[in-house]
Amino acid sequence: MSNPIKQIYFAIALHNHQPVGNFPWVFEQAYQQAYLPMLEAIEKHPSLSFSVHYSGSLMDWFKQSHPDFIQRLAELVKRGQIEVISGGYYEPILPIIPDADKLGQIAKMNSFISRQFGFKPIGLWLAERVWEPYLTKILAQAGIRWTLVDDTHFKLVGLETKDLFGYYISEEQGYFVSIFPISKYLRYSIPWRTVREVINYLQKGASEQETKIAVLGDDGEKFGVWPGTYDHCWRGKWVEDFFTALEDNQEWLHVVKLGDYIQKFPPSGRIYLPCAAYDEMLEWALPAEKSWQYARLKQQL
């Protein structure tokens, strides 16, 4: 009798955004160097699945300047390769706007996705991953079933990295939403470390007994717009090599949409997260003197 193979699921959630009023050449540069190359890479690897988010302001620009881009996205949705994630239409920090505006922003994004792609989104990209506990109720009222925040949020309530290969349910006044943790290791490794290092990390996390998922949720602009990344990701073929490696290891490494995963597998438990954002934002949001002290202490450690 052969030994069972260690397995792990892996989800890639790409967040893409340009603010209203940004220079037209910035939109176009980001399109040519990140958005279009990534779309072409996804089309080239039909066995891989992705969760993608484009802010409303960016979608508006696509419709005006590159309507074929939305048509190609719709084809990927139709063939089941990608799911489009909702969010606040103009990428607001949800906790700082009135509840009626929160619901309105999400409803506007949901309506756009329904019209353009023919399905009702159940996942949401949370701008800057700024979480406050009562958002559970707001998201549930908006028809959202899941979102994702950084593993930092989970570690603030005592969970460890080993606990974060799954998703958790949070509750507020009888309303529920599921929350995936974004792996900081993957966020810092992709696309900076070698493809082999990333695959080795995923293989190390695989298990024979339990169902596990590792989640990368990060900016799409890091694949071409950030300094040096266009040469690294596209001319240097890092993304192509990475996607090929994901395909080559499908016996144990299963690339999945977050919405599909939540339909198939139960949560790891219930959790109540504190007010938080991603690790760097927590540092930047401190008063200047405290931020300097904190950064210096981290460097020393």
Side-chain angles (χ1 to χ4, degrees):
M1 183 175 178
S2 60
N3 294 326
I5 299 174
K6 292 183 177 181
Q7 309 275 331
I8 192 170
Y9 288 83
F10 176 46
I12 301 173
L14 297 174
H15 158 63
N16 305 277
H17 168 58
Q18 294 296 325
V20 174
N22 208 352
F23 296 111
W25 66 265
V26 174
F27 277 90
E28 185 65 34
Q29 181 182 23
Y31 175 80
Q32 296 293 341
Q33 295 187 357
Y35 307 143
L36 181 59
M38 182 59 73
L39 180 72
E40 292 172 339
I42 292 172
E43 290 173 333
K44 188 178 177 181
H45 295 271
S47 67
L48 303 181
S49 298
F50 300 82
S51 303
V52 297
H53 171 254
Y54 299 90
S55 65
S57 52
L58 184 54
M59 285 290 200
D60 289 342
W61 183 83
F62 287 148
K63 288 189 69 175
Q64 181 179 2
S65 301
H66 293 283
D68 58 308
F69 187 85
I70 292 182
Q71 294 172 6
R72 292 167 74 174
L73 280 178
E75 281 299 314
L76 292 172
V77 171
K78 186 177 179 180
R79 75 186 191 190
Q81 190 178 355
I82 69 169
E83 63 178 344
V84 180
I85 308 173
S86 186
Y89 196 85
Y90 296 108
E91 197 69 4
I93 305 299
L94 287 181
I96 67 173
I97 64 175
D99 289 353
D101 291 347
K102 295 178 179 64
L103 293 169
Q105 287 268 344
I106 298 170
K108 184 174 176 66
M109 193 80 246
N110 288 352
S111 177
F112 179 92
I113 293 171
S114 296
R115 290 196 312 272
Q116 295 293 329
F117 305 110
F119 77 99
K120 182 180 179 181
I122 60 170
L124 176 136
W125 180 267
L126 188 65
E128 302 297 339
R129 283 95 78 196
V130 177
W131 174 263
E132 292 190 4
Y134 73 92
L135 285 177
T136 295
K137 180 180 179 181
I138 296 293
L139 297 183
Q141 289 176 329
I144 299 301
R145 290 187 53 195
W146 62 265
T147 187
L148 58 167
V149 299
D150 290 70
D151 53 11
T152 300
H153 299 59
F154 292 81
K155 291 180 179 180
L156 288 173
V157 291
L159 271 65
E160 301 178 25
T161 298
K162 64 180 178 62
D163 304 315
L164 301 180
F165 288 92
Y167 71 93
Y168 289 79
I169 280 189
S170 194
E171 174 271 335
E172 171 72 14
Q173 300 180 50
Y175 292 89
F176 295 86
V177 70
S178 297
I179 310 175
F180 287 93
I182 299 169
S183 166
K184 185 174 181 179
Y185 177 87
L186 291 174
R187 194 161 60 85
Y188 271 60
S189 299
I190 297 172
W192 317 117
R193 294 182 183 269
T194 65
V195 169
R196 174 44 52 192
E197 286 179 287
V198 176
I199 297 297
N200 286 346
Y201 172 81
L202 294 170
Q203 192 165 31
K204 185 178 178 181
S207 173
E208 297 174 0
Q209 291 83 26
E210 57 183 325
T211 303
K212 301 174 73 175
I213 183 170
V215 178
L216 168 70
D218 213 347
D219 298 340
E221 292 81 13
K222 74 187 294 185
F223 299 96
V225 177
W226 293 10
T229 56
Y230 183 78
D231 286 340
H232 177 59
C233 291
W234 306 114
R235 290 174 178 158
K237 297 186 176 181
W238 193 97
V239 173
E240 173 63 25
D241 292 343
F242 182 52
F243 286 2
T244 299
L246 293 176
E247 290 178 323
D248 291 344
N249 289 280
Q250 287 180 326
E251 182 181 21
W252 60 271
L253 177 57
H254 312 292
V255 183
V256 65
K257 293 175 290 188
L258 289 167
D260 287 347
Y261 186 88
I262 214 167
Q263 301 279 8
K264 295 179 181 179
F265 301 106
S268 299
R270 183 180 293 197
I271 200 163
Y272 294 88
L273 298 175
C275 298
Y278 58 95
D279 189 46
E280 298 89 340
M281 179 65 77
L282 293 177
E283 176 183 330
W284 301 333
L286 290 171
E289 179 67 20
K290 297 296 183 183
S291 180
W292 179 82
Q293 292 175 0
Y294 179 68
R296 185 182 181 192
L297 179 59
K298 282 207 307 184
Q299 186 178 34
Q300 290 174 348
L301 290 173

